[in-house]
Amino acid sequence: MSLSIWHGDNEKWPEAKRFVLVAVLILGMFVAAKLTGSFLLRGMAFRSVAKHLTAGCLMGGGAMMAKGGNDSQLLVAI
């Protein structure tokens, strides 16, 4: 998606199957968590949110630089 946005070319946009796959994976995780009773929604302090968001952005940037491995391929695909 980022490549098609960067180049302004809609031809490079991923197929709809990829979006459906990610949506179904997230839905499956949510349903499994609700059925097992392990889903708990709780609030977070702003400092904690900022720390986790920064860590996620750094991890994503590292995945883009690595160009290999399971984690980077998963993060790039998402």
Side-chain angles (χ1 to χ4, degrees), residues 19-35:
F19 295 106
V20 172
L21 175 66
V22 171
V24 170
L25 284 171
I26 292 171
L27 178 65
M29 288 185 286
F30 176 75
V31 169
K34 287 297 279 184
L35 289 176

Side-chain angles (χ1 to χ4, degrees), residues 60-76:
M64 291 302 296
M65 288 187 282
K67 300 280 188 202
N70 292 340
D71 293 338
S72 62
Q73 296 304 320
L74 177 65
L75 286 171
V76 171

Side-chain angles (χ1 to χ4, degrees), residues 26-58:
I26 292 171
L27 178 65
M29 288 185 286
F30 176 75
V31 169
K34 287 297 279 184
L35 289 176
T36 60
S38 63
F39 182 77
L40 177 64
L41 192 60
R42 57 188 170 150
M44 293 177 67
F46 176 76
R47 184 178 175 130
S48 180
V49 171
K51 179 176 70 172
H52 286 88
L53 182 63
T54 302
C57 290
L58 289 173

Side-chain angles (χ1 to χ4, degrees), residues 3-20:
L3 184 63
S4 57
I5 291 171
W6 183 265
H7 293 292
D9 184 12
N10 289 336
E11 295 295 320
K12 296 179 182 176
W13 197 258
E15 296 178 9
K17 291 188 289 188
R18 287 184 175 219
F19 295 106
V20 172

